[in-house]
Amino acid sequence: PVIILGGIYGGIFTPTESAAVAILYGLIVSKFIYHELDFAVLKDIMSGAIKTTCQIMFIVCSATAFAYVLTRENVTANMAKALIGAANSTVMFWLLVTILLLIVGCIMDTVPAIMILAPLFAACLKTYGISDVAFGVIMVINLGIGLCTPPVGSALFVGCAIGKTPIERTAKNMMPLYLTMVIVLMLVTYVPDVSLLLPRLLMGYGA
């Protein structure tokens, strides 16, 4: 945790690079400290990793293809415009945006979803008196929840593949966590100081 999380938060390497660092660290510890790693064990580890990766890649490829179709047909953009047009207050705007982002988060990766939807929503933030920093935080939280939510949440499938558990049972056991995440999302959404307190203290943002 010190090496991986410390490296990420310290800006030494990205979360993706931290996976490679974790593998290297595990190999060194297993071989030279615990003396449990030999060719047979390494072969089993690589075989299991390949099988898990193949399972996840099939899901990711399917979700990516579906996201491509949605993007090419402007489905998400049209949905966003329709929701913006239907919002007649800040509370309604947040509610509709939250619903859309949770749905999009289930079927699209975070980065393309942000690239497609953020410019659409950013154009009307001033109309509702919403901070762009608060909106960015809320958007990432929404999409993050979508990643671990059925039916196509890629993070949920990764966890099920690694834990070798069926998605139905995992999703059922995660219901209390879903409830907690939604409560946190509502708190961050409707209490702006939750997301803006640190920016205000550190940089005087919005002061």
Side-chain angles (χ1 to χ4, degrees), residues 162-181:
I162 294 174
K164 295 180 176 58
T165 59
I167 187 172
E168 296 83 1
R169 188 174 71 182
T170 303
K172 181 179 179 180
N173 292 334
M174 284 188 63
M175 291 304 296
L177 298 179
Y178 291 138
L179 177 61
T180 302
M181 287 188 286

Side-chain angles (χ1 to χ4, degrees), residues 126-147:
K126 291 184 179 180
T127 304
Y128 299 99
I130 297 172
S131 163
D132 51 352
V133 173
F135 180 79
V137 172
I138 293 166
M139 187 173 193
V140 172
I141 293 175
N142 270 286
L143 295 175
I145 294 175
L147 285 176

